[in-house]
Amino acid sequence: VQLQASGGGLVQAGDSHRLSCAASGLTPFSNYAMGWFRQHPGQERELIASISWNGGKTNYANSVKGRFTVSRDNAKNTLYLQMNNLKPEDTAVYYCAADSVRYGLGMIEKNYGSWGQGTQVTVSS
């Protein structure tokens, strides 16, 4: 399984920005829940957004709820994270990940078994 996250960069507080994650090797992509994690310096990686295998269920950490939206395009094997009203505290390395269990909701962190390489998002005030 290969997950390639892209779209990181330097943005201003209040801006919107979108991350993408191209997946390969998941057969098929549409059978697996996906998630976005982020890691602040010196802290553990945390699950901030997840989407079920069919896109019918999404879940968010309180820190991003109402500002971030996770979505997927199963035809393109791609996961997205739309980030609105970005804040300096959103500065982190963002990772996409795939659930190891078929047909899951993606809400259980320990079930994630495949990870992308991470993309840095820096929000300046």
Side-chain angles (χ1 to χ4, degrees):
V1 177
Q2 289 191 329
L3 302 173
Q4 182 73 35
S6 62
L10 176 63
V11 297
Q12 299 287 325
D15 281 356
S16 296
H17 201 66
R18 190 175 79 163
L19 302 181
S20 300
C21 174
S24 60
L26 287 169
T27 52
F29 174 76
S30 59
N31 280 6
Y32 295 91
M34 300 290 294
W36 286 100
F37 289 70
R38 70 183 182 187
Q39 187 170 24
H40 294 105
Q43 298 185 22
E44 293 188 357
R45 196 160 44 187
E46 62 169 336
L47 178 63
I48 59 166
S50 63
I51 186 166
S52 62
W53 64 281
N54 63 354
K57 172 70 175 176
T58 57
N59 195 63
Y60 300 93
N62 288 334
S63 57
V64 305
K65 194 174 295 183
R67 299 187 299 121
F68 290 13
T69 302
V70 59
S71 62
R72 64 191 299 161
D73 185 337
N74 286 343
K76 296 182 178 179
N77 288 1
T78 303
L79 176 73
Y80 302 101
L81 184 68
Q82 177 66 41
M83 305 182 292
N84 297 332
N85 189 22
L86 281 160
K87 303 177 181 181
E89 51 263 42
D90 295 318
T91 295
V93 179
Y94 286 74
Y95 299 87
C96 57
D99 198 334
S100 60
V101 178
R102 287 179 185 265
Y103 308 121
L105 297 179
M107 297 171 62
I108 302 175
E109 288 196 29
K110 67 181 180 65
N111 284 353
Y112 283 87
S114 301
W115 299 85
Q117 83 288 1
T119 187
Q120 175 72 45
V121 174
T122 301
V123 184
S124 63
S125 57

